[in-house]
Amino acid sequence: GRCDAYKPPRSHHCRICNRCIIRMDHHCPWMNNCIGALNQKHFVLFLIYTWGQCTFALTLLIVRLSECDGTVSECFPSEDGRLAISLLVLSLLTLIFVTSMLYNQVYAVLTGIGTIDRMKRHTRHLHHMPVRWLDVFGVDAAWIAPIDPKFQDRDRVLGYTTLGNSWKIPHPDGADGTDEEESLAGSDAPMEEGKDGDEAEPHSPLVVASALV
């Protein structure tokens, strides 16, 4: 890819963000960010909140009209009438648009085919599988709250394994006096140089990819 890095399935390079996005759906100008594996929950909740607010505003207008015995101009006199019309138009247009976006997100989760894949017609060449709702909203009971999701298996959700998360690299001859195998879990130390001055080769490939946080 353009980042010269391994890209997990359904990852795409965003020219606006200038990075590869894991499970990329699209670049959203509303959020000024790409919608990917780690922030799809926030985008879906944003759509749900907006949809609910538009529905609530339209419900208030309908209730007001149903309780008023006069004409529309009598129910919303002068300034109230102009505000009611503006609220009605804005709520209707926003509700239609947000409903279509919610449909796209539900379709992407149920089919595993994101918006950008449909637009580029990549569906024929990819083995799509439905995305689990737990891989979108996490395992938290308060999934409706706008907090970062916590996944059961973060590496499986992202589609790659970071070095040190599940690899064990054997030490040759136990030269440093440690056990035969030493886990690199949680280690951020750089690789040491070999005896001949060259950099030591890793015993397993380092898979590098970018994801939205």
Side-chain angles (χ1 to χ4, degrees), residues 21-152:
I21 309 300
I22 294 177
R23 209 172 73 203
M24 179 178 177
D25 188 80
H26 67 286
H27 183 89
C28 179
W30 291 8
M31 304 181 70
N32 192 30
N33 210 341
C34 280
I35 308 303
L38 297 185
N39 68 348
Q40 188 176 18
K41 169 190 173 179
H42 299 291
F43 181 68
V44 173
L45 289 181
F46 168 66
L47 295 177
I48 293 176
Y49 297 158
T50 306
W51 190 92
Q53 192 172 20
C54 292
T55 304
F56 179 71
L58 291 175
T59 302
L60 290 180
L61 291 176
I62 294 174
V63 171
R64 172 60 178 165
L65 289 175
S66 63
E67 293 180 350
C68 182
D69 296 331
T71 61
V72 176
S73 58
E74 293 175 347
C75 295
F76 300 99
S78 62
E79 188 69 20
D80 292 342
R82 290 190 290 270
L83 291 177
I85 294 176
S86 300
L87 180 62
L88 175 64
V89 174
L90 182 61
S91 298
L92 279 176
L93 294 178
T94 305
L95 184 64
I96 294 173
F97 177 72
V98 170
T99 301
S100 66
M101 294 299 296
L102 266 177
Y103 169 79
N104 286 335
Q105 291 301 303
V106 173
Y107 180 86
V109 173
L110 295 181
T111 63
I113 303 174
T115 302
I116 192 171
D117 288 328
R118 292 203 314 272
M119 294 181 63
K120 291 186 176 182
R121 298 182 179 181
H122 288 172
T123 57
R124 300 179 180 177
H125 310 289
L126 299 176
H127 300 287
H128 294 279
M129 295 183 62
V131 180
R132 300 193 313 165
W133 290 105
L134 290 178
D135 293 345
V136 177
F137 292 99
V139 296
D140 293 319
W143 62 268
I144 197 64
I147 57 178
D148 291 337
K150 297 180 181 179
F151 305 114
Q152 292 177 337

